[in-house]
Amino acid sequence: FAQAPSVWTHPGTGIVFNTWSAYPAQTQGGFTLGLALPSNALTTDATEFIGYMECSSVKNGANSGWCGVSLKGPMTNSLLITAWPNAGEVYTALQFATGYAAPANYEGNAKITQIASTVNSTHFTLVFRCQNCLQWNHEGVTGGVSTSAGGGQFGWVQAFPSPGNPTCPSQITVNQHDNGMGQWGGAFDSSIANPSYSAWAAKATKTVT
Ligand code: HEM
């Protein structure tokens, strides 16, 4: 896990994240993923996390674009989190791809609930709890992230157009991403596993569907 994180406190919620970023030279507007894990996650594999995504709308303005994260690195055979803004809300879809084509809806029991979000003319951000997201089973294709390994391989993508059917996450349509992509091996700082995790997770009460 080559890439050390930045340790960053989200100002609105006080949640302490490990963050990794792609810079504007790689993707217009930049991209950031943050992760926070349950307090024992560095010794016992966690099943859930609190995530932070900061994604770009720089090309087409407020409420445009989408971004995605692969929880294992590649687009294929990894749980994918796709996020996009619409009318001031940030929507998400849990997706899964077995090839390099439009992903399907993830068929496992993972669940996203929101803690905070912002939408402005250049970016959208989301702080969210992702339960049952670190081990997956999509129609028999299994995998996962072992948080006790001390890091993970992750992937990111961004796209300029908005998805089709943006207010119906199970029916979005996307074209192939056109604002950069990449993978990185992210090392975890010990601050990623925080005693306050349960209290933070309890703030995830909002569902945007
Ligand atoms: C990479 C196609 C949607 C996540 C790739 C690559 C292709 C592709 C061909 C590899 C390109 C290369 O290596 O040069 C597509 C098509 C899509 C689509 C045709 C829809 C029609 C998505 C969505 C996500 C996603 C919705 C959500 C997270 C990724 C990631 C990578 C990637 C993380 C980089 C890692 C890798 O190369 O495997 N995609 N994609 N893609 N895609 Fe997609």
Side-chain angles (χ1 to χ4, degrees):
F1 308 117
Q3 205 172 319
S6 298
V7 177
W8 174 73
T9 302
H10 179 258
T13 61
I15 297 173
V16 179
F17 289 100
N18 279 198
T19 68
W20 300 267
S21 296
Y23 293 96
Q26 299 161 270
T27 180
Q28 284 187 40
F31 168 86
T32 295
L33 174 72
L35 294 176
L37 295 172
S39 57
N40 65 350
L42 295 178
T43 50
T44 303
D45 287 337
T47 61
E48 66 167 84
F49 63 91
I50 295 172
Y52 171 75
M53 290 165 75
E54 180 181 83
C55 303
S56 173
S57 298
V58 283
K59 187 167 177 188
N60 296 314
N63 296 297
S64 71
W66 62 267
C67 65
V69 167
S70 160
L71 293 178
K72 197 75 180 176
M75 176 173 160
T76 50
N77 301 330
S78 306
L79 186 55
L80 303 174
I81 300 169
T82 304
W84 65 96
N86 186 266
E89 297 283 0
V90 177
Y91 289 73
T92 55
L94 288 157
Q95 300 188 301
F96 206 89
T98 52
Y100 285 98
N105 293 321
Y106 175 59
E107 294 298 342
N109 67 348
K111 179 182 166 190
I112 286 178
T113 42
Q114 299 194 2
I115 299 172
S117 66
T118 63
V119 174
N120 68 26
S121 59
T122 59
H123 292 87
F124 57 101
T125 71
L126 180 65
V127 179
F128 61 102
R129 182 185 190 186
C130 202
Q131 291 172 272
N132 294 316
C133 290
L134 294 176
Q135 284 86 37
W136 51 85
N137 182 343
H138 177 78
E139 298 174 337
V141 182
T142 57
V145 178
S146 172
T147 61
S148 64
Q153 178 81 10
F154 302 101
W156 65 272
V157 287
Q158 294 206 100
F160 295 123
S162 295
N165 301 326
T167 59
C168 188
S170 66
Q171 292 182 31
I172 55 162
T173 56
V174 296
N175 294 322
Q176 185 168 342
H177 27 87
D178 59 357
N179 184 20
M181 64 181 168
Q183 295 188 49
W184 76 98
F188 296 158
D189 178 87
S190 61
S191 62
I192 200 169
N194 196 293
S196 296
Y197 183 90
S198 304
W200 295 335
K203 296 182 189 173
T205 53
K206 179 174 171 177
T207 309
V208 175
T209 53

